[in-house]
Amino acid sequence: MAVNPSRVYARQFAERAAARASGPDFLVLDAGAGSAPYRDAFKDVRYESADVGATEGKDYSHITYRCDVVDIPVEDGRFDLVWCSQVLEHVREPERALREFHRILKPGGEAWLTAPFYYVEHEKPWDFYRFTQFAWQHFAETLGFEVVEIERMEGYYATLAYSLDTAAKALPLELAAQRSQMRRLADEFVELEMSDKRTDIGLSKNYQVIYRKPRG
């Protein structure tokens, strides 16, 4: 696929998060930052990152805190915003990670999160969970967050495109014609997605979530 809608939407979500900044002293933690693909979105604020650094072959020299996101070595209430994108499925205890985000956020601070609902196993063997909208609501209620947003990140056409492209890659070589047909159809659904995002039908690959830590 020439365009990956998920990356487009994740970038837009990161830019929305960055727009929450109230000045140059606004402090953001990129939790589970990996290669920090969204660091530039937060260029106008103070930016720190945390990652356990467990994937072989990745460069982690830019990471501020080499740690598990369930135990971040900072004081309570340090951050104005926690950004955590496509990470929690790789955490053995995601609820514990969210509890840690609650601890390190200032009162009124926000956690901006994305994680998959429908996606192939990846970063093996560090892939443990998928999350429904009801899981997100449960986490908020259990951990004391206010829900600002729980939304599908992609529309259904993007999910169909992803399904077709993934299925085509798994076909045997003797089904090359079918593979080509599926990929062409995937491209058509990407075009539909980018012109007519439909979140009222089907399902989404990922959810995007905003939690707020109450002020009092």
Side-chain angles (χ1 to χ4, degrees):
M1 295 182 291
V3 176
N4 185 328
S6 299
R7 292 181 181 173
V8 172
Y9 297 142
R11 167 62 57 172
Q12 292 172 353
F13 195 53
E15 291 171 353
R16 280 180 58 200
R20 297 291 292 163
S22 55
D25 292 330
F26 190 91
L27 182 56
V28 172
L29 178 70
D30 190 343
S35 60
Y38 303 104
R39 180 173 186 167
D40 62 310
F42 301 102
K43 64 183 183 301
D44 296 324
V45 301
R46 293 173 60 203
Y47 171 93
E48 295 180 348
S49 57
D51 199 286
V52 71
T55 302
E56 291 185 11
K58 279 191 175 183
D59 177 16
Y60 296 101
S61 60
H62 56 282
I63 297 297
T64 311
Y65 306 105
R66 285 290 296 272
C67 64
D68 195 313
V69 295
V70 304
D71 187 16
I72 300 167
V74 301
E75 69 275 15
D76 294 356
R78 176 174 176 81
F79 296 99
D80 296 284
L81 187 145
V82 172
W83 167 262
C84 183
S85 182
Q86 307 304 99
V87 172
L88 291 175
E89 71 271 26
H90 303 297
V91 179
R92 287 193 178 94
E93 300 175 277
E95 187 168 336
R96 186 178 166 196
L98 292 169
R99 183 175 288 108
E100 182 71 345
F101 298 166
H102 189 283
R103 180 187 73 80
I104 65 177
L105 279 169
K106 297 175 182 177
E110 295 176 344
W112 287 60
L113 316 163
T114 76
F117 169 66
Y118 172 74
Y119 199 72
V120 296
E121 293 176 350
H122 58 291
E123 297 279 354
K124 300 175 184 178
W126 310 104
D127 189 7
F128 304 110
Y129 297 101
R130 300 293 179 267
F131 302 93
T132 70
Q133 60 181 307
F134 308 106
W136 290 116
Q137 187 66 47
H138 168 74
F139 289 144
E141 293 170 357
T142 301
L143 301 173
F145 281 111
E146 298 171 350
V147 174
V148 178
E149 175 179 313
I150 300 173
E151 299 288 348
R152 298 181 184 184
M153 191 162 79
E154 301 86 1
Y156 187 43
Y157 298 144
T159 305
L160 285 174
Y162 166 75
S163 299
L164 287 162
D165 186 65
T166 301
K169 291 175 181 176
L171 289 178
L173 293 177
E174 58 266 26
L175 295 179
Q178 290 88 340
R179 182 185 302 189
S180 295
Q181 290 173 346
M182 293 168 72
R183 284 179 167 164
R184 282 196 297 271
L185 189 56
D187 288 340
E188 291 178 15
F189 276 119
V190 167
E191 292 180 9
L192 274 172
E193 172 72 19
M194 303 316 294
S195 63
D196 183 23
K197 182 179 177 180
R198 295 288 302 273
T199 58
D200 59 324
I201 56 175
L203 67 155
S204 180
K205 283 172 62 185
N206 301 281
Y207 278 97
Q208 60 186 47
V209 176
I210 306 171
Y211 290 153
R212 181 179 294 126
K213 182 176 179 176
R215 292 187 180 277

